[in-house]
Amino acid sequence: VFPGVRQAQWLTKTKLVEGLPPAVQGIVDNPALGLQELEERARHVVSHARLWDTTEVAPRREKYCPVLFENLIHICRLMSGKYPALSKRMLARNCRIAATWERESILLQVRGLSGVLMNSMTPIPPVASKEEILATKEHVLETFYPIAPTIDLQEVNVYKELNDTGQCFRDGYPYSHPHTLFFLESANVRTDRFRPEQLRAKMLMFAFGNALAKARVLHGNDPKVLEQPIVVQSIGTDGQLFQFMVFQLNTTDLVSNDGVKNLVWIDSDQNLYERAQCVPEVKKGVVMKPAGISGFQPDTFKKFLALYLHGTV
């Protein structure tokens, strides 16, 4: 069982802030960027993924979820005409990550495939100010006493303390900064998918893992408060419901609960649309629900686009 966000916060020494950080929300709310001009395209790609890109009466999630993701990324790339720096990005698939750290007296490791990773030539600037970072010293991390905070984590013998950013960041690789992780929960059977809370925890652990591995490459293994914090974003979706996350690694000094904490902003459970009706629902010759997409939420699309643009606009 993957832990919930509260447990992931303790494991990564992180303070949670609800909602998107002002730097990202400002992109969503800025009419000058023309995000609303792409809304109709986004509505179109939802219809394409859910209704047209299939010969089935009702397409399966494992089919439409990746199609929707690829189409949304395509819309995001259209902005590179306006913002040429967006072309300095690379999507890496099946990127492996391993990061090891100590928390109190426990050795922890996050490792595995970190979804689809978008890398950038330049890092995302810090989203919290120095004052906000210092203020986290006052934050008290939740404990789970008498339950161990590592309950339900898999215990393994670690013969080598791995800190590996995978092939994504080998020496000389121009796109050397992790930007955004994308997790597609596209299993058709509900029990095979992570529940939203589990998905958010997974997103936090892997955003932290990528940031920590990058910090070790840049600054070595000595625990310290970072002069230049590392920001890694994460987006998770099952093809309808979206989770948005911005993580800022402020410190690699993770052993004790004291001092500066890391920060995460989470915008949870944002529907891109309410319902996709593949065939009309007819009762007694009357169309009760017409075929099509209903309840499209342009703000959810704008948030997806804002995280993509973040660090460039």
Side-chain angles (χ1 to χ4, degrees), residues 241-286:
L241 193 66
F242 282 73
Q243 317 292 336
F244 300 106
M245 182 178 293
V246 180
F247 176 81
Q248 180 167 306
L249 185 76
N250 298 316
T251 181
T252 59
D253 186 359
L254 303 162
V255 175
S256 84
N257 289 326
D258 301 330
V260 165
K261 315 296 186 297
N262 298 310
L263 282 162
V264 69
W265 291 259
I266 302 181
D267 194 18
S268 305
D269 297 338
Q270 302 294 306
N271 261 328
L272 182 59
Y273 54 94
E274 295 299 328
R275 195 178 69 247
Q277 193 78 22
C278 298
V279 291
E281 191 179 301
V282 180
K283 279 188 184 163
K284 296 179 181 172
V286 178

Side-chain angles (χ1 to χ4, degrees), residues 38-91:
L38 297 172
E39 278 174 28
E40 201 47 50
R41 271 185 196 267
R43 196 187 301 266
H44 182 81
V45 304
V46 172
S47 296
H48 175 259
R50 290 302 312 259
L51 308 176
W52 304 333
D53 190 69
T54 180
T55 52
E56 300 174 76
V57 173
R60 296 158 69 83
R61 194 180 298 269
E62 58 212 24
K63 176 92 166 88
Y64 70 70
C65 183
V67 169
L68 179 66
F69 165 70
E70 297 295 345
N71 289 347
L72 288 173
I73 288 289
H74 177 69
I75 295 177
C76 292
R77 286 188 177 128
L78 296 175
M79 296 293 277
S80 56
K82 212 182 217 180
Y83 305 103
L86 289 174
S87 58
K88 296 174 180 173
R89 302 271 182 85
M90 180 64 70
L91 276 184

Side-chain angles (χ1 to χ4, degrees), residues 176-193:
S176 61
H177 298 279
H179 187 285
T180 304
L181 290 156
F182 299 95
F183 292 97
L184 307 185
E185 279 302 305
S186 54
N188 216 49
V189 181
R190 185 180 288 275
T191 49
D192 293 343
R193 294 197 299 272

Side-chain angles (χ1 to χ4, degrees), residues 6-189:
R6 287 164 54 216
Q7 187 179 5
Q9 282 178 250
W10 187 90
L11 295 170
T12 60
K13 194 175 176 178
T14 298
K15 178 187 175 183
L16 168 69
V17 184
E18 295 284 350
L20 294 172
V24 177
Q25 191 61 48
I27 298 172
V28 176
D29 297 337
N30 185 350
L33 295 175
L35 306 195
Q36 62 280 4
E37 293 162 22
L38 297 172
E39 278 174 28
E40 201 47 50
R41 271 185 196 267
R43 196 187 301 266
H44 182 81
V45 304
V46 172
S47 296
H48 175 259
R50 290 302 312 259
L51 308 176
W52 304 333
D53 190 69
T54 180
T55 52
E56 300 174 76
V57 173
R60 296 158 69 83
R61 194 180 298 269
E62 58 212 24
K63 176 92 166 88
Y64 70 70
C65 183
V67 169
L68 179 66
F69 165 70
E70 297 295 345
N71 289 347
L72 288 173
I73 288 289
H74 177 69
I75 295 177
C76 292
R77 286 188 177 128
L78 296 175
M79 296 293 277
S80 56
K82 212 182 217 180
Y83 305 103
L86 289 174
S87 58
K88 296 174 180 173
R89 302 271 182 85
M90 180 64 70
L91 276 184
R93 293 163 202 278
N94 300 325
C95 241
R96 290 203 163 272
I97 181 73
T100 307
W101 71 102
E102 201 175 325
R103 195 77 182 81
E104 294 189 336
S105 57
I106 309 155
L107 190 65
L108 297 163
Q109 187 176 73
V110 60
R111 70 180 189 198
L113 289 173
S114 56
V116 178
L117 174 59
M118 183 167 69
N119 304 310
S120 176
M121 281 187 170
T122 52
I124 301 174
V127 286
S129 65
K130 289 212 163 30
E131 293 72 33
E132 288 171 288
I133 293 167
L134 286 173
T136 64
K137 286 184 177 181
E138 307 302 316
H139 179 69
V140 179
L141 291 162
E142 183 180 6
T143 58
F144 301 91
Y145 184 84
I147 300 166
T150 52
I151 190 167
D152 70 24
L153 296 189
Q154 185 183 357
E155 204 167 308
V156 294
N157 292 320
V158 175
Y159 301 106
K160 188 180 177 196
E161 288 187 29
L162 281 177
N163 286 291
D164 180 16
T165 54
Q167 287 300 305
C168 300
F169 304 112
R170 61 189 179 277
D171 286 349
Y173 183 64
Y175 308 96
S176 61
H177 298 279
H179 187 285
T180 304
L181 290 156
F182 299 95
F183 292 97
L184 307 185
E185 279 302 305
S186 54
N188 216 49
V189 181

